[in-house]
Amino acid sequence: MATDDTVVIAASLASLRTPKVETFDTRALQQLDSAHFLHPFTDHAALRDKGARVIVRGQGVYLWDSDGHQIIDGMSGLWCVNAGYGRTSISEAVYRQMETLPFYNSFFNTTNVPAVRLAAELVALAPPQFSHVFFTGSGSEANDTVVRMVRRYWDILGQPERQVIISRRNAYHGSTMAGASLGGMPGMHAQGGLPIPGIRHIGQPNYLEAGQGMSENAFGLVAAGWLEEEILAVGPDKVAAFIGEPVQGAGGVVIPPATYWPEVQRICDKYDILLIADEVICGFGRLGTWFGCELMGFKPDLISFAKGVTSGYVPLGGVLIGKRVAHALLEKGGDFNHGFTYSGHPVACAAALENLRILVDERLVEKVALDTGPHLKAAFNELATHPLVGHAESCGMVAGLNLVRVKGASMHECVPFERALQVGMLCRGHMFELGVIMRAVGDRMIVAPPLVMTRAEIDEMAARIWDCLDLTLEDVRSRGWL
Ligand SMILES: *Cc1c(COP(=O)(O)O)cnc(C)c1O
């Protein structure tokens, strides 16, 4: 019977895979999109005139739009398609799980096979201090869970006055009430009455912005020191936790100096404060280690994850729980009154299991560390010789470069463009036209390519970026901004 099922499944999957010659009426889709689809983080008045680009297909590191243009995806969708597009084994795992058990909850003393297996697999891949996993549907829900979990932890320990969570300006921790509050994006705080009470923000370890006149390592200690200052200002007995991304993603690929995280760890230990790594981007190989905290040299008590855990094929997030917190919650806490309908969703967990198998079997994390990560660094160092680029930096499979008006001998001696000119957006426009996706954060252009991107594909991406830089330089000259 199992054999029959397998045959039927294989046959129906084959029919799904038969390439269809499908054509699209782009203008009609754009009009429907504009009429009914409210997009995240989008100025719809501006989008209406241009029309959204309709993405219809993906394979490997490439996407195609509804007009048949091929695009090299330098952003892994949105920092998530680590295993690349078109992974049939993930779609098959999802299909099989949907046929077997599309859903069951894990609230009422029940569990399901993919969730159990995935929890065990994640704990095996995580640093040794982790023993448990709480599943959510997204990174934002993971960080909401973190807020409730750390406050609950201190309740259980008889210190309920420990409520304050310290985060950083320009951090991104999601878009729910707690996620956006933990995040340090002023534009988000300006809408909806945020942040929620008990969240404080300190400066980010951005050497370019705040490290002038110091060595990088000296600056790392200074930036970590802002945490101690804030702890003392709030009162150490009121601080519950510190949260940060090992490398800030949406804030513009801010790579901290090597001294930063070990000093943050020392300060958290000194005041007995929980340390939380938001690994939604850095987790699952992005930096050439399974988790970013391993590269940055610290040992968090909790890790929030999402994105790369399923390579984005199906939504899934969660919180890895270290033994310190797990012990309190499981042994002393009774009910933790928190959970989502889709916590441990069997289909999402099946997708994650197959995605992790791919990362392990294809040795993608090691590849990033030893092969493609260094190659991306070399490619960005080459891009840094372009007259429009002040400096470039990278870490594993994330990289950024700064567009400047005047190049200097060091990054602090470069002269930036006036922000209002939006040179980054100008550059991003060319990227779109020339078929490479790169993101603009102010005048910093960033990439986070799929971990499967080969050396040859990195070279192709870099060549397209160089051409876009040339076009941007022409624009800037013709407008008299140089
Ligand atoms: C994307 C992201 C989140 C939010 O995840 P969602 O799945 O969009 O809710 C949280 N933290 C970081 C670091 C992220 O990059």
Side-chain angles (χ1 to χ4, degrees):
M1 183 186 143
T3 326
D4 284 355
D5 277 356
T6 312
V7 171
V8 171
I9 290 170
S12 45
L13 282 170
S15 75
L16 284 176
R17 278 206 297 277
T18 309
K20 292 186 206 83
V21 185
E22 204 173 349
T23 53
F24 301 94
D25 182 342
T26 301
R27 195 64 210 130
L29 285 165
Q30 286 172 332
Q31 279 164 357
L32 275 180
D33 177 81
S34 175
H36 303 297
F37 185 4
L38 190 67
H39 293 232
F41 290 95
T42 296
D43 176 345
H44 280 264
L47 180 64
R48 196 175 309 128
D49 299 335
K50 265 197 326 227
R53 191 168 199 173
V54 185
I55 304 297
V56 295
R57 195 163 68 84
Q59 184 63 44
V61 301
Y62 295 100
L63 295 165
W64 282 266
D65 71 12
S66 52
D67 295 329
H69 298 120
Q70 182 229 47
I71 308 156
I72 191 160
D73 185 7
M75 282 307 299
S76 306
L78 197 55
W79 318 89
C80 54
V81 187
N82 291 10
Y85 298 95
R87 289 292 190 157
T88 307
S89 67
I90 300 180
S91 5
E92 284 174 351
V94 162
Y95 181 86
R96 251 183 268 118
Q97 186 56 45
M98 279 191 169
E99 288 282 281
T100 314
L101 180 71
F103 176 75
Y104 199 72
N105 76 73
S106 46
F107 280 44
F108 308 122
N109 302 322
T110 53
T111 193
N112 70 75
V113 177
V116 173
R117 289 202 178 132
L118 181 59
E121 178 72 14
L122 287 168
V123 166
L125 290 171
Q129 70 270 29
F130 290 94
S131 65
H132 287 76
V133 186
F134 186 94
F135 289 113
T136 70
S138 70
S140 300
E141 286 177 9
N143 285 324
D144 276 45
T145 298
V146 159
V147 170
R148 299 202 62 204
M149 197 177 277
V150 299
R151 289 178 175 170
R152 177 69 192 137
Y153 168 81
W154 288 114
D155 274 349
I156 294 168
L157 264 61
Q159 298 183 57
E161 64 287 355
R162 280 201 191 245
Q163 290 275 314
V164 173
I165 302 173
I166 300 175
S167 177
R168 301 175 299 181
R169 289 190 277 280
N170 198 39
Y172 188 77
H173 296 299
S175 200
T176 49
M177 296 294 278
S181 296
L182 290 173
M185 301 288 180
M188 294 178 77
H189 291 174
Q191 299 175 353
L194 301 178
I196 58 170
I199 312 286
R200 304 282 287 247
H201 295 89
I202 61 171
Q204 57 179 329
N206 186 331
Y207 181 56
L208 175 67
E209 205 177 84
Q212 186 139 23
M214 277 177 256
S215 73
E216 263 195 80
N217 282 341
F219 171 69
L221 297 177
V222 169
W226 298 333
L227 173 60
E228 186 157 26
E229 285 170 25
E230 191 65 22
I231 291 169
L232 294 172
V234 172
D237 55 344
K238 294 194 174 58
V239 180
F242 174 74
I243 185 168
E245 304 153 78
V247 168
Q248 284 156 261
V253 181
V254 181
I255 304 166
T259 48
Y260 178 76
W261 276 110
E263 179 66 2
V264 164
Q265 171 92 64
R266 190 191 65 77
I267 293 165
C268 287
D269 290 349
K270 180 175 170 188
Y271 297 99
D272 201 26
I273 286 162
L274 293 174
L275 178 53
I276 303 148
D278 181 340
E279 299 261 11
V280 171
I281 285 176
C282 298
F284 308 104
R286 176 67 46 204
L287 306 184
T289 46
W290 277 96
F291 294 92
C293 58
E294 296 165 294
L295 183 71
M296 294 292 156
F298 68 105
K299 291 192 166 62
D301 298 292
L302 299 171
I303 283 178
S304 34
F305 64 88
K307 296 193 169 113
V309 67
T310 55
S311 283
Y313 277 58
V314 183
L316 178 70
V319 181
L320 273 158
I321 306 158
K323 288 170 188 158
R324 173 179 173 186
V325 175
H327 179 76
L329 281 176
L330 276 72
E331 303 304 326
K332 304 188 212 161
D335 261 16
F336 177 40
N337 298 320
H338 178 75
F340 304 104
T341 302
Y342 299 137
S343 290
H345 195 293
V347 174
C349 293
L353 280 167
E354 180 53 22
N355 175 60
L356 295 179
R357 187 203 62 74
I358 290 172
L359 296 188
V360 171
D361 285 2
E362 297 183 9
R363 306 180 64 79
L364 287 172
V365 182
E366 294 88 331
K367 232 181 186 156
V368 169
L370 303 173
D371 179 19
T372 49
H375 195 71
L376 183 69
K377 186 178 278 299
F380 267 66
N381 285 341
E382 190 64 32
L383 289 169
T385 64
H386 192 279
L388 203 56
V389 178
H391 77 286
E393 57 201 315
S394 78
C395 182
M397 285 300 249
V398 290
L401 52 83
N402 285 47
L403 306 179
V404 297
R405 196 159 69 79
V406 184
K407 278 171 95 85
S410 75
M411 69 168 87
H412 289 123
E413 287 163 300
C414 295
V415 183
F417 288 102
E418 269 176 62
R419 237 190 138 83
L421 298 177
Q422 300 208 338
V423 176
M425 290 307 278
L426 209 60
C427 185
R428 199 187 72 169
H430 289 304
M431 302 271 177
F432 237 61
E433 284 152 27
L434 264 59
V436 53
I437 293 180
M438 204 175 183
R439 191 160 157 184
V441 179
D443 290 345
R444 187 161 167 83
M445 307 302 299
I446 59 178
V447 291
L451 309 189
V452 292
M453 189 177 271
T454 62
R455 284 169 167 252
E457 288 163 344
I458 290 172
D459 293 342
E460 185 193 349
M461 176 176 76
R464 291 192 198 187
I465 293 172
W466 186 279
D467 291 344
C468 295
L469 292 170
D470 279 348
L471 291 175
T472 310
L473 184 60
E474 272 174 39
D475 286 346
V476 165
R477 283 207 176 114
S478 69
R479 289 168 199 216
W481 292 346
L482 268 187

